[in-house]
Amino acid sequence: MGEELTPSLVLAGYTFGVFPMARDRDDPQVHFVEPEIRGIIPLDAFHVPRRLRRLVRRGTFDIRTDTAFTKVIDLCAAPTEARPETWINSAIRNAYLALVPSGHLHTVEAWDGDRLVGGLYGVALGGVFFGESMFSRADNASKVALVHLVARLRAGGFLLLDCQWRTDHLHQFGCVEIAQDRFKSLLRDALRVHADFNRHSAVATELDRILRPGPPTA
């Protein structure tokens, strides 16, 4: 991409079903990506493994939203032993942080006391949440954050949770693959919806529904 990555370009890309990535965190170039096969988590079919349900109910982590934008993105971008390469370069970091004033960027954070130990970030647009990245510095912290994200999206009337690609990590939560044409059709419908990420009053109810016992699983 030959021009500066701006917040407006990021949002415009999402409306067309594409998203920005760098080849690695040290590469100054940004590319818009359009997968032929898209990963999504159907919000009405979200699945929480039994052990994770117990962990969420115990309240092991203090879950907060939108309190540490910079920390979350920087921890998502930081290489780890398990993930030595990441795709979040400085241009992407700056463009997403510039979405904060407009209210499009959101984080769900798992805290252990004063330590941020897990979380995720993404962009809300209409009735779509575009999940971008997640990180863990404590066992299951990002998984707990994801459960709370889905409760919040369901409470707020969102229709679509975009995961970009299906991974083994996301498959356990019900992530499925669909063709990009199908994704664009769902995207068009969901963008017409006025969802509310901050509809706090209904989050607890949705979380309780998500955590109700389901079929036996690990």
Side-chain angles (χ1 to χ4, degrees), residues 102-211:
S102 65
H104 289 293
L105 186 71
H106 293 288
T107 60
V108 180
E109 309 144 15
W111 292 80
D112 181 4
D114 60 356
R115 286 197 315 127
L116 178 59
V117 295
L120 57 86
Y121 77 95
V123 172
L125 194 61
V128 189
F129 190 86
F130 300 91
E132 278 299 316
S133 189
M134 59 201 317
F135 76 95
S136 275
R137 296 296 183 270
D139 289 346
N140 297 307
S142 65
K143 295 178 182 180
V144 173
L146 178 61
V147 173
H148 281 265
L149 169 69
V150 171
R152 184 168 290 272
L153 298 182
R154 286 171 39 156
F158 284 80
L159 299 183
L160 184 59
L161 172 52
D162 172 36
C163 302
Q164 300 178 351
W165 289 283
R166 190 184 76 169
T167 64
D168 291 341
H169 176 72
L170 295 174
H171 178 63
Q172 66 186 303
F173 296 101
C175 183
V176 298
E177 292 181 329
I178 60 174
Q180 178 72 347
D181 286 347
R182 174 60 177 156
F183 174 78
K184 286 185 175 180
S185 177
L186 295 174
L187 177 64
R188 284 192 295 269
D189 292 340
L191 286 173
R192 298 189 183 104
V193 171
H194 297 288
D196 182 3
F197 188 85
N198 294 310
R199 192 184 171 207
H200 303 290
S201 60
V203 173
T205 298
E206 287 301 329
L207 185 62
D208 182 65
R209 288 174 179 162
I210 288 170
L211 296 178

